[in-house]
Amino acid sequence: MARLTPGSVGEVEALLAQGAGGSVLFVGGGTAMPPGPAVETEISTAGLDRVVEYAPADQVVTVECGVTLARLQRELAKNGQRLALDPPHPEKATVGGIVAANSFGPLRTRYGSVRDLIIGISVVRADGTRAKGGGKVVKTVAGFDLPKLMCGSYGTLAFIATATFRVHPLPERTLTLRARGGDPVELVRRVRSLQVEPAAMVALGEGTGWDVYLRLEGFASGVRAQRAKLPDLEEVEWPGPAEGGVRIRFGALPTHAAQVAKAFGPLRARLEWLPMLGLGFATCPAPIDRSNSPRGEFAGEQIDSPRALESARRELTAIGGWLSAPGDWGPPPPSIALQRAVKKQFDPRGVLAPGRFIV
């Protein structure tokens, strides 16, 4: 396998136009890379780490795909701003990887996902053709909404070259409150009835109930006023994400917190549940052997019990939820035919990230 580190987007265009040696995988920080079969060429984004354009007055920034989130946040902080995304491992996670994996954290509670913050993108297609969408471009050249289409595509559609985001002011004051052993559903109802607007809310559980954390942000006076509405909650530090293991993404109705905890019980997972959104992550401690999986090779971190994983998926599906593990996307969605048609348009030869996603 060849590993290449181009120093410009033009070099990426040339590599793909020349065929780049067959099957290709785009590699950023590797924090959300799904496992899959070996490829003939890896193209690293490490050499594409420039802030292309930043207009603080317009609250808009354009960066190359290899810029890490932590570095981008430091640049924005010089002007009292930030990109309101908080996926794990910001020192390693690159902008291109965050878009490709549609990564997020608890700040999605208020600010939404990558799809809500990205306003423009430029990509290099499998044949080396560059395309742009969003931003100052009125209509995308391919007729697709390119910025949103690339979110969660896992490098199977095109090389994400640059991305343009709207950014937000840094809050004057931040405060974290915790309800130890709280009921996420009841706390969400209480917060809404009191008209408290947390920037982030996460319930953590490891089989023994939930601890629910709320982050209040904004002007100091506003934070104080919201804090006064929840006098029984204790002030603490914001918890960090679970380290190590396998990170599974799942969803269910926000009112199904108890069913979610029950479904993941056999996996001995640490749960991070966003109770206002019905989305979450389960971090499982040990490796799964999927060497006999019908998908073929399964590399990287794995889960200890495939049966427990399938049981959790069945229980979530039964209540209208879903579960997606690295390399195990579950049953094809109803939209699979459409997704394959889009893949065919962007990558007719099927050389981009083969076996890394459901298409």
Side-chain angles (χ1 to χ4, degrees), residues 159-178:
F159 177 85
I160 296 169
T162 66
T164 302
F165 300 95
R166 62 188 181 99
V167 298
H168 291 81
L170 284 168
E172 181 180 284
R173 174 82 192 283
T174 298
L175 178 68
T176 299
L177 304 177
R178 177 176 64 186

Side-chain angles (χ1 to χ4, degrees), residues 3-7 27-28 43-50 65-67 94:
R3 185 180 178 91
L4 307 174
T5 306
V27 181
I43 296 180
S44 168
T45 65
L48 301 171
D49 60 352
R50 296 184 308 123
C65 56
V67 175
T94 62

